[in-house]
Amino acid sequence: MEKTAKHDLIVVMGDLNATVGNEGTEDDRARGKHGCGSMNNGERLVAFSNMNDLVIGGTLSPHRLIHKLTWCSPNGRDKNQIDHLMFSGTWRRSLMDVKVRRGADVGSDHLLVAASIKLKLRGTGPKPKGHRSFDVDRLKDAGLRTEFTLQLRNRFLALENHDEPMEGEQDELLNNRWDMITLVYRQSSEKCISYRKKKIKDRMTHETWKAIESRRGIKKKVMGAKSERLKERYLEEYREAPRIVKSLVRADKGKSLDDMASKAEEAGARNE
């Protein structure tokens, strides 16, 4: 914190195991009046926030209790607000809301804490555009190929109306013609086939995604259980589901690293 510029927007967040309560006072700028319960072991967190001009976001937003409690014990009885998001006091008005998202499937006894922030930032100007390729594979479609051909034909017909150059202007004419030809192809391609989208390779297998969907379904059952008996049964299933997902993700990561190593070896062999 000492090495960070004071005018910067600072966000400190995490599982801090500190209960700060809702007894915010005028002298205590770090806390609001919408925390949970009373302060238990949060004195150091409040002192740290006051010393560094931070506000504890979870105590500022008026919500129902279920949307402020961030942790539930494995037995399902003990609940508390121990995960916090602290925000720069200078930018306090930019913090619009802090709320617990109970339905998020995070595979943990901690719930997801989300903040809404509204900022007015100075523009940095347009970014330089890199090389972009057209998605020429779309021209395999007969209808699109016909439309692209008509676009080119109509645009090239317009070029035939240009006057022939006078003597000594041949080089200039050649450059102008080349510029017009590239412009015709670019405009026709933008209208008909558009640019190629960057593809991101999925490094997780179908089996892993299926396990994640299964875990998400169990989470919904936990949230919608009407009886304690059903809720406890679904909680047992939900505690086991993250272990399965983690093991599958580790296996997929190992396969991905092996593939990258193999490709690097092949590239090295080709260079040699």
Side-chain angles (χ1 to χ4, degrees):
M1 292 295 294
E2 292 176 353
K3 295 180 181 179
T4 306
K6 297 301 180 184
H7 61 268
D8 285 349
L9 189 155
I10 302 172
V11 180
V12 181
M13 56 186 174
D15 173 15
L16 302 173
N17 286 325
T19 306
V20 298
N22 56 3
E23 302 96 354
T25 63
E26 294 182 359
D27 296 332
D28 183 7
R29 296 188 69 252
R31 288 184 296 169
K33 297 182 179 180
H34 300 287
C36 295
S38 57
M39 183 182 291
N40 183 6
N41 58 343
E43 293 86 355
R44 294 182 65 187
L45 179 60
V46 173
F48 170 81
S49 300
N50 281 320
M51 183 172 60
N52 293 282
D53 190 25
L54 300 174
V55 292
I56 303 174
T59 65
L60 302 177
S61 304
H63 290 296
R64 295 171 58 191
L65 189 61
I66 58 173
H67 293 142
K68 293 191 287 187
L69 296 170
T70 67
W71 171 78
C72 179
S73 65
N75 60 22
R77 292 189 296 268
D78 302 323
K79 300 178 181 180
N80 222 324
Q81 185 186 39
I82 60 175
D83 302 86
H84 297 286
L85 184 148
M86 282 87 73
F87 204 74
S88 299
T90 307
W91 299 80
R92 179 169 178 164
R93 293 184 180 275
S94 297
L95 184 63
M96 309 306 293
D97 188 30
V98 176
K99 187 177 181 181
V100 171
R101 305 293 180 179
R102 300 173 65 243
D105 176 31
V106 294
S108 171
D109 52 1
H110 292 263
L111 300 176
L112 178 66
V113 183
S116 298
I117 302 171
K118 184 178 181 180
L119 295 175
K120 292 184 178 180
L121 303 177
R122 182 182 300 171
T124 58
K127 294 183 179 179
K129 296 182 179 179
H131 177 70
R132 301 175 67 189
S133 302
F134 289 104
D135 191 3
V136 294
D137 292 337
R138 296 187 61 195
L139 291 176
K140 295 178 181 179
D141 181 82
L144 187 63
R145 187 166 59 247
T146 302
E147 182 184 354
F148 180 68
T149 303
L150 288 174
Q151 283 284 335
L152 287 176
R153 186 177 299 165
N154 294 336
R155 293 177 188 275
F156 275 120
L157 283 175
L159 296 181
E160 295 180 358
N161 299 325
H162 285 276
D163 297 332
E164 289 298 325
M166 298 177 62
E167 187 177 355
E169 297 180 351
Q170 293 293 337
D171 292 341
E172 184 178 352
L173 173 69
L174 186 62
N175 290 332
N176 291 338
R177 286 286 176 88
W178 174 252
D179 291 339
M180 286 188 288
I181 289 172
T182 56
L183 179 63
V184 165
Y185 270 96
R186 185 171 66 252
Q187 290 177 341
S188 301
S189 300
E190 288 176 349
K191 186 174 181 60
C192 296
I193 61 178
S194 70
Y195 290 97
R196 190 187 303 275
K197 295 181 179 179
K198 185 178 180 181
K199 295 182 179 179
I200 301 176
K201 185 179 179 181
D202 191 357
R203 300 190 182 278
M204 290 196 295
T205 61
H206 175 71
E207 184 181 1
T208 303
W209 282 115
K210 189 174 180 181
I212 293 173
E213 287 296 328
S214 175
R215 186 184 68 178
R216 187 175 292 122
I218 299 172
K219 174 71 173 183
K220 291 180 180 179
K221 291 180 180 179
V222 172
M223 302 301 296
K226 300 299 182 182
S227 67
E228 289 298 326
R229 182 180 60 83
L230 276 177
K231 188 172 184 178
E232 184 59 33
R233 193 181 80 183
Y234 293 145
L235 279 172
E236 286 294 330
E237 295 180 14
Y238 190 67
R239 293 186 191 106
E240 181 62 25
R243 300 190 188 102
I244 298 174
V245 171
K246 286 180 181 179
S247 62
L248 290 172
V249 169
R250 289 193 194 101
D252 293 344
K253 185 177 180 181
K255 292 178 184 177
S256 177
L257 292 174
D258 291 342
D259 292 341
M260 292 173 62
S262 299
K263 291 180 181 179
E265 290 178 359
E266 292 175 1
R270 287 196 299 267
N271 292 335
E272 291 178 359

